[in-house]
Amino acid sequence: MKKPLFDLSHVCFSYDGVIALNDISFSVEKGETVLLCGDNGSGKSTLLKLLNGLIFAEEGSFVFDGEEITAKKMKEALFSKRYHRRVGFVFQDSESQLFNGSVREEIAFGPEQMGLSKEEVNRRVEDCLKLFHLEKQADRAPYHLSGGERKKTAIACILSMNPDVLILDEPLAGLDRKTGETVISLLMQLKKAGKTLIIATHDDRIIEKLGGRIITFSEEHRVLSDIG
């Protein structure tokens, strides 16, 4: 029997006693597109943080590709590095993950940390700049970019590492319609290429065009429905 890529079993998490995830159980197969829906505060962003190894289940378990993800495990530098090579996370607030002096340096950072050759790093940077039409912004500081340009840069940074899984929190938030369509088109390409996508969204355009499986969270921070 094939094991799922992600497997959550009765996961619970709270912030200072306030429940954020309440008995969450579901699995995700390799290559699936999963859309997380529900009202603000229902637990979607908290779940994404857990999947990215930023917080950890207080009860229940979260297993990735056969290995349980725990605080102890993620403190192991080699394990954590390997995990984040495979699982890329794009925050809703793009500014929170941009810290280098230029767009080019931002995109190069991940591949450099992977120990890739200078030639391979440069190739990936140029490919991402072209893919997101960021060539003119390549040498600009991220804080000089528009909101849409920062969002594209953040996604480019993750894609430059070629992860197996791309996790995005409200990827169209703050984008104009044209930039949003560019991001949706890219997500459709990634889906077609067989990448595993997990996306928290309120945007009907993503739901309509990407399709896939829809997991809806309730106000009680539980899985209300799992369709597809």
Side-chain angles (χ1 to χ4, degrees), residues 128-170:
C128 284
L129 288 172
K130 291 176 184 176
L131 181 64
F132 288 93
H133 306 292
L134 288 167
E135 298 99 321
K136 293 181 180 178
Q137 291 80 24
D139 297 314
R140 293 176 61 188
Y143 56 82
H144 285 155
L145 302 177
S146 69
E149 290 167 343
R150 284 195 295 270
K151 179 73 75 173
K152 290 194 290 184
T153 299
I155 299 175
C157 290
I158 299 303
L159 288 185
S160 69
M161 295 186 286
N162 193 28
D164 299 325
V165 182
L166 192 62
I167 297 175
L168 304 101
D169 192 359
E170 299 291 351

Side-chain angles (χ1 to χ4, degrees), residues 210-227:
L210 230 60
R213 179 176 162 199
I214 299 175
I215 298 178
T216 304
F217 283 71
S218 71
E219 293 180 357
E220 290 75 33
H221 315 285
R222 296 176 177 271
V223 172
L224 180 65
S225 63
D226 187 344
I227 302 171

